[in-house]
């Protein structure tokens, strides 16, 4: 006879087992007291990041103008992210054109808030947000990443396991809740990544979805869609760029993030089912944001773009979908797609991005192709940021 099982107990049991195993996995990767650390970069990588020749970098060292860096076998130099930042600041001081090495905000430039959305899982949303935030940080921008997804994948990538590290709160929910909100600075965490801070996520974020209908009914407090923007105003002067990873559904959190945004990035996996679901998503987004706009929400954006993710160039149907999107949306589709790559997915297994993993872990062509595709996408986005600042 078939046993009946209570699904709530079963799922809870599975969650507990999985959480325990994930904690073991983390302990093996990073011992209990260890923090994640950023790898060192080769001289060639640093020259490419700074936009200078390797020979020029070598000359700076010979002339004693560059910071002391780690030397390994064969006299090779290895740079920490802090070393790269110090080089940027030193080179910027002598640059003919302001912003050559420090491309962030200047007087009169507004804070850029990029909201990354899609309500279908598997579209590469978190991967896109994480690589964008990290590349911008490497490029000298001061970046705040916000994990608005209760599933907290962006947080996990940056070394936070929510059910262990955020037992007493510490998410954006604490800052935007309707009763006793805390200053945003209270929930910002420094990461191991120079120039990149993080507001982690966990299941507490769901409380905002539950509390907002009651607040609307009671007409208490400020309107829900202004709450994220109001909080960002508190720390506006400290960052050049905010990247928000939204949950994969269009709830109050996502709408509030969209209201705070100056730019929107929609990730799209180029499969027919994904594009069909995106159609419904766009219709729903339009309807709901229309209501927010009528209630006084700001819907003026600097730009909106679709980014094709997990793209396989040899896949005929995918190429058809990409051509279909380009013919419909034109310049609103980024020119460069993010390639589907074992390098990106393998890096994720150890909770790392492609910018963090050691190149030597992959065959050179696999790593280089994936890295080139990510750099090209992020380079296009950087161009849009600079354009929004009138450069």
């Amino acid at each position: 006879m078939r046993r009946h099982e209570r699904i709530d107990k079963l799922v809870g049991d599975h969650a507990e087992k999985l959480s325990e195993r994930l904690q073991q996995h983390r302990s093996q990767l990073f011992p209990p007291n260890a923090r994640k650390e950023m790898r060192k970069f080769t001289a060639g990588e640093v020259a490419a990041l700074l936009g200078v020749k390797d020979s020029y970098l070598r000359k700076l060292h010979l002339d004693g103008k560059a910071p002391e860096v780690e030397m390994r076998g064969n006299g090779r130099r290895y740079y920490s992210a802090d070393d790269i930042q110090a080089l940027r600041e030193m080179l910027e001081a002598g640059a003919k054109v302001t912003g050559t090495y420090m491309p962030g905000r200047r007087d009169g430039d507004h804070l850029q808030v990029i909201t990354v959305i899609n309500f279908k899982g598997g579209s590469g949303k978190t991967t896109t947000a994480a690589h964008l935030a990290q590349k911008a940080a490497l490029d000298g921008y001061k970046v705040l990443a916000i994990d608005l997804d209760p599933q907290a994948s962006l947080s996990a990538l940056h070394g936070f396991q929510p059910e262990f590290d955020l037992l007493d709160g510490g998410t954006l929910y604490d800052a935007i809740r309707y009763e006793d909100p805390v200053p945003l600075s209270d929930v910002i965490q420094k990461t191991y990544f120079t120039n990149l801070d993080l507001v982690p996520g966990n299941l507490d974020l769901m409380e905002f979805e539950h509390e907002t209908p009651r607040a609307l009914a009671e007409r208490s407090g400020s309107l829900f869609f202004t709450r994220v923007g109001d909080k960002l105003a508190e720390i506006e002067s400290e960052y050049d760029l905010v990247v928000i990873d939204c949950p994969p559904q269009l709830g109050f959190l996502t709408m509030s993030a969209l209201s705070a945004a100056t730019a929107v990035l929609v990730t799209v996996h180029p499969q027919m089912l994904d594009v069909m679901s995106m159609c419904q998503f766009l219709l729903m987004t339009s309807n709901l944001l229309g209501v927010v706009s009528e209630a006084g929400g700001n819907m003026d954006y600097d730009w909106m773009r679709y980014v094709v993710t997990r793209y396989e160039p040899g896949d005929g149907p995918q190429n058809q979908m990409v051509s279909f999107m380009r013919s419909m949306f034109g310049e609103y589709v980024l020119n460069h797609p993010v390639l589907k790559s074992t390098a990106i997915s393998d890096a994720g297994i150890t909770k790392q991005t492609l910018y963090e993993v050691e190149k030597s872990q992959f065959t050179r062509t696999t790593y280089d192709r994936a890295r080139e595709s990510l750099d090209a996408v992020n380079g296009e986005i950087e161009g849009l940021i600079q354009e929004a600042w009138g450069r």
Side-chain angles (χ1 to χ4, degrees), residues 111-288:
L111 177 70
Q112 284 280 304
V113 182
I114 301 176
T115 298
V116 186
I117 58 168
N118 192 313
F119 81 166
K120 197 169 192 306
S123 69
K125 182 175 55 62
T126 299
T127 303
T128 303
H131 284 94
L132 170 60
Q134 290 191 357
K135 182 61 164 67
L138 282 172
D139 285 339
Y141 293 87
K142 288 193 167 56
V143 185
L144 176 64
I146 299 179
D147 194 347
L148 261 197
D149 188 345
Q151 294 173 61
S153 302
L154 187 70
S155 306
L157 262 179
H158 289 92
F160 292 90
Q161 194 171 331
E163 69 272 32
F164 288 101
D165 300 330
L166 300 172
L167 295 173
D168 302 318
T171 71
L172 190 72
Y173 169 69
D174 296 353
I176 62 173
R177 63 191 176 206
Y178 295 92
E179 289 176 16
D180 303 320
V182 303
L184 184 58
S185 55
D186 284 7
V187 293
I188 293 175
Q189 302 266 5
K190 288 273 171 217
T191 72
Y192 51 91
F193 212 105
T194 302
N195 287 336
L196 177 59
D197 293 346
L198 174 74
V199 176
N202 72 4
L203 291 171
D204 290 356
L205 289 162
M206 290 303 295
E207 294 297 319
F208 189 71
E209 303 292 349
H210 302 149
E211 288 174 4
T212 296
R214 192 182 71 233
L216 286 170
E218 293 169 359
R219 299 188 177 283
S220 62
S222 61
L223 291 161
F224 78 88
F225 54 80
T226 65
R227 298 187 81 79
V228 173
D230 290 347
K231 283 294 163 180
L232 290 179
E234 295 174 4
I235 51 85
E236 187 180 356
S237 61
E238 293 164 46
Y239 297 96
D240 301 313
L241 177 64
V242 177
V243 177
I244 306 179
D245 185 26
C246 287
Q249 69 263 352
L250 197 56
F252 296 115
L253 280 170
T254 303
M255 285 198 281
S256 190
L258 283 167
S259 299
T262 61
V264 176
L265 201 56
V266 185
T267 55
V268 192
H269 184 217
Q271 300 273 31
M272 179 53 92
L273 284 176
D274 293 71
V275 173
M276 283 164 66
S277 79
M278 187 182 81
C279 178
Q280 297 305 304
F281 173 64
L282 293 175
L283 284 169
M284 205 161 70
T285 306
S286 169
N287 293 338
L288 288 169

Side-chain angles (χ1 to χ4, degrees), residues 79-108:
Y79 299 73
S80 69
D82 283 341
D83 294 333
I84 300 171
Q85 184 63 17
L87 272 168
R88 278 191 184 283
E89 289 167 12
M90 187 267 295
L91 289 167
E92 180 67 25
K96 292 190 179 101
V97 180
T98 305
T100 303
Y101 301 99
M102 298 285 287
R105 287 167 68 192
R106 300 176 212 157
D107 288 347

Side-chain angles (χ1 to χ4, degrees), residues 24 39 71 228 238 255 258 278 302 344-345:
Q24 285 169 10
R39 69 175 174 91
M71 299 290 281
V228 173
E238 293 164 46
M255 285 198 281
L258 283 167
M278 187 182 81
D302 291 331
I344 296 172
S345 47

Side-chain angles (χ1 to χ4, degrees), residues 32 44-45 79 104 211 328 387:
E45 287 179 299
Y79 299 73
E211 288 174 4
M328 270 198 315
E387 203 178 307

